[in-house]
Amino acid sequence: MTLDIRPLEAADRAAWEPLWQGYLTFYKASLAAEVTDTTWQRFLDPAEPMFVRGAFENGKLLGIVQCVLHRTSWSPKPICYLQDLFTVPEARGKGVGKALIERIYDEARAGNWFRVYWQTHESNAEAQVLYNKLADRSGFIVYRKNM
């Protein structure tokens, strides 16, 4: 599989949105249309710390990775939260997710970032098989409270 991994552009919205909705469906979540609109606009704004990369094969978008670059109290270097990773079902197990993560690793090395990190649901066993090959499991438990 030959992939073209690149930042998404305004013209890619129609290809991106079904993958974004697929990600939300996977996690049994839904968002108001204005949240999706805001997220997309943030990806296109160079002043925003959020960014998205897409994996294309022959012009078809097969996967996305959405990230937030932020400060950390652990280093003067920025840290990257790999917030969302999704591939279309027919591309799973074919290296698309791995290629997207490795692209972020390449950007992290080039940008001299401190760390790339992410989380997944404990029930997402299929993804954990890949993640266990690409990163160390931190052992931390996530707590959150929606406001």
Side-chain angles (χ1 to χ4, degrees):
M1 178 174 287
T2 303
L3 295 173
D4 175 27
I5 299 178
R6 63 169 176 79
L8 296 188
E9 303 165 352
D12 296 316
R13 171 129 188 204
W16 166 80
E17 195 154 349
L19 276 73
W20 174 233
Q21 293 303 321
Y23 177 83
L24 294 173
T25 299
F26 180 83
Y27 281 109
K28 298 176 178 70
S30 62
L31 296 173
E34 57 267 15
V35 175
T36 292
D37 291 342
T38 298
T39 297
W40 180 252
Q41 289 307 311
R42 287 176 176 164
F43 292 149
L44 300 179
D45 184 347
E48 282 284 343
M50 295 178 69
F51 61 94
V52 60
R53 303 293 181 256
F56 293 83
E57 182 184 44
N58 299 321
K60 180 178 175 162
L61 184 59
L62 300 180
I64 55 173
V65 61
Q66 301 176 165
C67 300
V68 180
L69 196 60
H70 64 89
R71 297 176 188 265
T72 176
S73 58
W74 290 73
S75 172
K77 299 176 183 180
I79 189 169
C80 179
Y81 176 45
L82 193 156
Q83 188 168 25
D84 311 306
L85 176 71
F86 185 79
T87 62
V88 295
E90 61 270 20
R92 293 187 188 143
K94 297 182 179 176
V96 176
K98 180 180 183 209
L100 285 163
I101 292 170
E102 289 179 342
R103 168 60 183 262
I104 300 305
Y105 286 173
D106 290 343
E107 292 186 37
R109 283 188 282 277
N112 198 29
W113 302 346
F114 176 64
R115 175 184 296 148
V116 175
Y117 72 103
W118 64 91
Q119 59 186 347
T120 193
H121 195 271
E122 63 188 14
S123 66
N124 194 356
E126 184 178 353
Q128 289 178 53
V129 171
L130 171 63
Y131 300 161
N132 288 335
K133 294 175 186 174
L134 295 176
D136 299 323
R137 198 174 201 160
S138 71
F140 281 86
I141 298 170
V142 175
Y143 292 86
R144 66 181 183 194
K145 181 170 177 63
N146 292 339
M147 299 294 167

